Amino acid sequence: GELKERLQRIVHRTLREQVQEYVNYTRRSAMVIKYEPTQQEQELYDRIEAYLRREVIFAINPMALPMLSLIIRKILSSSAYALSFTLGKLVARLEAFKKEGVILNNVTDFGEDVELDEDDIYDDDAIEENYITHSEVYSIDDEIRELSQCRDLAQQIRHETKAVQLIDALKVAFDRITSLGGNKKALIFTESRKTQEYLKIYLEEHGYRDKVVCFNGMNNDFT
């Protein structure tokens, strides 16, 4: 209460409706595009969900499982293209585990796959196993097989439904912009740099060659 009273003398909130006669706000027009996942996309979603609900997951430390499950689902919702790289990392973890008996569960390893908030950063110590029994080897091999199949399935999805619908949405949006006398420009937000990479390729293959610029934390695209 004391802080609020002190701030009232220097902080004042002005609502948009109070300044509309002075500020020319851009009129916003919302448009929602519905889509249905393909059979391959739905299968990938179902298999990832089933994997994350396993009682035992060797590729992820149980302490990190809630956080990594959330991150994997974020990547899955972003694009199959991005997910394929994440699944590849999980496979590599398990293959290293079979050879060395150690798994490193560093959430920041997924920084290239999805934008991480500070709350997402979790870095636990290595989990060391002195030995792996025959039953564990079999379970790990089964998990590697499942993840590899999901990764291959993700790689097979070349024309993702959201990307296809994006092309249609851009056409509609640009027609509206043209009718209003505006510039035909669009800003597309993604949660994953891998998805951004995929969209750049996809857009350039579907009528927007040399018309796409990527901005992200790397800041290395100035074309």
Side-chain angles (χ1 to χ4, degrees), residues 62-205:
M63 292 183 63
L65 181 58
M67 185 64 68
L68 280 176
S69 294
L70 176 62
I71 291 173
I72 291 171
R73 287 187 172 97
K74 279 185 177 182
I75 298 169
L76 172 62
S77 67
S78 185
S79 70
Y81 178 86
L83 182 67
S84 67
F85 291 91
T86 303
L87 296 176
K89 290 179 181 179
L90 293 177
V91 170
R93 284 185 177 196
L94 290 174
E95 291 175 342
F97 181 46
K98 286 183 62 178
K99 294 179 181 178
E100 305 170 9
V102 176
I103 287 184
L104 291 175
N105 284 294
N106 188 345
V107 175
T108 55
D109 290 343
F110 296 90
E112 292 184 358
D113 302 338
V114 68
E115 294 295 333
L116 297 177
D117 299 325
E118 284 189 15
D119 294 338
D120 292 332
I121 306 302
Y122 177 95
D123 189 3
D124 62 327
D125 296 328
I127 303 175
E128 297 188 6
E129 298 290 341
N130 295 325
Y131 64 90
I132 304 175
T133 65
H134 176 74
S135 61
E136 287 175 328
V137 171
Y138 177 81
S139 298
I140 291 172
D141 286 339
D142 177 63
E143 188 168 328
I144 290 175
R145 189 179 306 109
E146 175 64 19
L147 288 171
S148 297
Q149 290 175 354
C150 289
R151 178 197 59 199
D152 295 343
L153 177 59
Q155 291 174 342
Q156 292 170 12
I157 303 174
R158 301 297 181 88
H159 301 282
E160 302 195 32
T161 305
K162 286 193 292 184
V164 175
Q165 292 297 322
L166 174 61
I167 298 296
D168 293 338
L170 286 174
K171 291 178 181 178
V172 174
F174 286 154
D175 287 343
R176 290 189 181 182
I177 292 173
T178 301
S179 66
L180 295 172
N183 296 320
K184 295 171 65 174
K185 295 182 179 181
L187 186 61
I188 303 171
F189 293 91
T190 69
E191 207 168 17
S192 164
R193 288 198 294 269
K194 289 296 184 182
T195 298
Q196 187 184 65
E197 179 181 292
Y198 166 77
L199 284 177
K200 185 177 189 296
I201 296 171
Y202 192 86
L203 287 168
E204 289 186 338
E205 290 177 347

